[in-house]
Amino acid sequence: MTDLMTSVMGLLARGHIDRRTAQELLDAVGSAGAEKQPEPRPSGDVAVIGVAAQLPGAATYERFWDVLVAGEDRVEPAPARRRELCEPVLTGTDTEPSFLHAAWLDDIDRFDAELFGVTPADARLMDPQQRRFLQVAYHCLEDAGRAGRIRGTRTGVYVSAALGDYSSDLMEITPSAVPGILPSFAASRLSFLFDLRGPAFVSSATCASSLLVLHEACLGLRNGDCDTALVGGVNIFSLPLASEGRLMDAAGITSDDHRCRPFDHHGTGIGRGEGAVAVLLKPLEHAVRDGDRVRAVIRGSAVNNDGASAMMTAPNPKAHTELLLDAWRRAGVSPEALSYLETHGTGTALGDPIEIRGITDAVRRHTGRRQFIAIGSVKGNIGHLVDGVAGLSALVKTMLVLEHGSVPPTVNLQEPNGHIDFLDSPVFVPTTRWNLRTGARSREPLRAGVSCFGFNGTNVHVVLEEAPRQETESVAETPGRDSGVLVYPVSARTRASLRALMAAHGGHTGAGHSRDLAFSLWNGREHHRHRVAILARDRAEFARTCRTLAGTDNRAWAELPGVRVAEGPCGDPDSPEEALAYAYVTGKEVRWHDLFETGPPPVLVGLPLYPFDEDSFWFGAPVGRPLPSGPADDTLTALLAVVGRALGYEDVTAADSFIGLGGTSLSAMQIQTELLREHAWKVDVADLLGAEDFTELAAVVDAAAAPATGATEAPTAPQATGGTPGPTATT
């Protein structure tokens, strides 16, 4: 163990790893064998304490409400940029390609590989679904105020993601690329990156998948499998050629005009859509105890299957009825306590009437009331997000309905389906925005249900309740209340992201007091290598300083009043706040909790999300520098060329290390193979992983190639220490 700690400190001293990575490695070494006792098993309600979403027309969760309220239908032909990304697979084809119509995400080729420790080569081969989900999941952790506190916790990761079409056209798949292709690693990669100790898996139940993993996560929390649970789903059409949608077309479930028309007489099937959603869950009693920001409450959920319906792929109204009754029983509510139902609502001639019949039969077990529950379907706005995120996109809409207290209009409903008797049913479909906070029940918490039915017969229903009112109320800040100077920490992985983050904070208007803002920055964010500490008396002064920094060259930041950076002067601090600021920007251990020892307990507030420093990664694009045209002048030059090509870096230097560049055991195996094939060098994987820099590794190779003392003839092929290929990677 001592040798491992010495090696970590050596890598840090030589600049091959940053302080955060070194601390994580030392923590892992120091905690080996230590056991953390799980929290007492909770029971009852589950809180949603974080949410992030990227859905068509909306880059954030909050922005999606604008799409809903405006009644937008985001389905359209494939944009020009998406058609351009298909060009590598269309080269040499004679026929004119035909593209899907869908509701699209933007910039699916872009990704912040450095933030997540992914080499450029692996990022290029990674399924865009995994890339996008990583970023949305990170924003979810930030929204929950857990990005800086999640490491090493008993957090489960429950994901819905289907095998995408991206890998089918990759010319070459390297060993290190495999985890970026397999859907199961969408969950496991998060557990690896953040050292999460709870369950991590991907489930598949066709259209019901993402709501099913939410149900499984709630069970995991109640059973004590984990203390928090990150639940997510993603669906992206990487290559939106019409031929890629032939499976759904063959099943006969796509509409003639590519659009979903929920409950409409002219509905003929589903339209397609893309999206990525992540939510962070925690037992409600623990969330309230820990001061988490509750976004919504999951009262209960249920899952079943259609069983022997008319056909294997036909919905079963009796199963739907039993599902709703079971979910309401578990949630401890009756249908009369519900204000809204987000239906599966695909706009199919068969599915919609069967779903309304199932709802009607379930409600009739409790009451004969008519037209008292508003219903809707998000699929009219963004199409059907199928296996990856259909259920979670419906959950996002329902959470927004509860937050805003109103139901947006259902899109593409012009003439009600003639097979649905709405007049004699307990539900109605608002065609204009419908206020839920009226009448005698206006003071009661709003409750809603979300249904998701899989093409394979799996059915899931979740009962939601709005967040406790005291959690959502905001109190205006009293001028002069926060008269003392506070230290506001802001950091990013790159200078570009740091400048963008300054601009975001400069324009951010949110609820909460100044000390709540400072507390949330300290407690709720990761602290990266590029750091700024701002000393300000209130959030208005903090915002003004951020705007100034965003418009000022980074080299001049140290000269601005109230701003502390690592490159600035570090004289004797004039106050504890100054000392804290200098300690923070120079990467030293800080006692930021001392700022909040007096006064009312601070609370977490919403902050701008991390602005990713993205590059385009797409198959067909060259990565790394080319190998020398002839024999290399020296071992080091050849070694750097092979490593640069394998990891995807244009410039690898002798002072770099394999681990510092993000190399893994899988990429080490790839480099080992290429060195043997191209130079007849047998290099141990252990030497690749353990060398402090490439100068040392080249020396190991040269030493192995040198003739042994007293040898009568030189070996025909130089060999590195050990003389055999490195160990097989563990899967």
Side-chain angles (χ1 to χ4, degrees), residues 123-456:
R124 183 177 66 91
L125 300 178
M126 184 184 294
D127 191 320
Q129 294 189 124
Q130 277 202 43
R131 302 183 210 154
R132 186 55 56 97
F133 179 67
L134 278 175
Q135 296 190 166
V136 171
Y138 188 80
H139 277 168
C140 175
L141 294 176
E142 286 200 317
D143 183 71
R146 301 285 299 180
R149 299 180 289 147
I150 200 74
R151 296 181 187 277
T153 61
R154 296 181 69 251
T155 297
V157 184
Y158 301 78
V159 178
S160 167
L163 181 64
D165 51 14
Y166 186 73
S167 63
S168 62
D169 287 287
L170 294 175
M171 298 300 294
E172 179 183 6
I173 298 178
T174 62
S176 61
V178 173
I181 295 171
L182 297 177
S184 57
F185 279 89
S188 299
R189 190 183 294 272
L190 272 172
S191 293
F192 169 75
L193 287 172
F194 291 99
D195 188 23
L196 306 179
R197 310 296 176 81
F201 58 84
V202 172
S203 288
S204 177
T206 62
C207 319
S209 299
S210 64
L211 212 60
L212 176 63
V213 292
L214 183 84
H215 171 77
E216 291 174 328
C218 291
L219 292 179
L221 291 169
R222 295 185 180 111
N223 292 337
D225 296 334
C226 52
D227 299 329
T228 54
L230 191 144
V231 180
V234 60
N235 186 67
I236 291 176
F237 306 114
S238 302
L239 301 172
L241 299 169
S243 59
E244 299 296 333
R246 61 185 181 274
L247 186 62
M248 285 188 287
D249 293 338
I253 60 175
T254 54
S255 69
D256 299 334
D257 61 356
H258 314 288
R259 302 182 185 280
C260 282
R261 300 183 181 278
F263 319 118
D264 189 83
H265 184 70
H266 301 286
T268 58
I270 68 168
R272 300 174 175 90
E274 298 181 320
V277 173
V279 294
L280 191 65
L281 308 182
K282 189 175 184 179
L284 179 61
E285 59 195 85
H286 295 172
V288 172
R289 177 199 65 193
D290 298 338
D292 291 304
R293 198 162 60 113
V294 178
R295 310 299 296 268
V297 178
I298 299 173
R299 292 289 304 268
S301 59
V303 59
N304 71 6
N305 193 273
D306 286 333
S309 55
M311 296 174 288
M312 187 170 67
T313 57
N316 184 341
K318 291 183 178 179
H320 294 181
T321 296
E322 293 169 358
L323 175 79
L324 294 173
L325 292 171
D326 194 17
W328 296 340
R329 177 183 57 78
R330 296 182 184 187
V333 302
S334 72
E336 292 182 289
L338 301 174
S339 300
Y340 177 68
L341 283 176
E342 173 69 14
T343 66
H344 190 55
T346 54
T348 58
L350 175 67
D352 286 0
I354 288 178
E355 181 171 9
I356 299 303
R357 177 182 166 188
I359 294 172
T360 300
D361 290 347
V363 173
R364 290 287 181 261
R365 304 279 186 93
H366 291 265
T367 178
R369 293 179 60 190
R370 301 176 182 177
Q371 295 188 312
F372 69 97
I373 304 175
I375 65 171
S377 173
V378 73
K379 294 177 181 63
N381 301 97
I382 58 175
H384 194 342
L385 275 58
V386 291
D387 296 21
V389 68
L392 287 179
S393 63
L395 180 88
V396 162
K397 176 189 172 182
T398 307
M399 288 176 58
L400 288 166
V401 166
L402 295 178
E403 286 183 19
H404 292 273
S406 62
V407 179
T410 290
V411 177
N412 293 330
L413 174 56
Q414 297 175 343
E415 180 183 351
N417 189 313
H419 298 289
I420 301 175
D421 186 359
F422 282 109
L423 294 178
D424 194 40
S425 79
V427 300
F428 66 97
V429 186
T431 54
T432 59
R433 188 170 176 177
W434 183 264
N435 184 8
L436 296 177
R437 300 192 189 280
T438 58
R441 291 170 48 194
S442 61
R443 293 187 176 275
E444 295 182 14
L446 296 176
R447 299 185 183 92
V450 184
S451 289
C452 201
F453 305 143
F455 187 52
N456 69 334

Side-chain angles (χ1 to χ4, degrees), residues 456-470:
N456 69 334
T458 299
N459 308 308
V460 187
H461 187 80
V462 175
V463 178
L464 290 179
E465 185 174 282
E466 69 172 318
R469 297 283 176 92
Q470 63 268 25

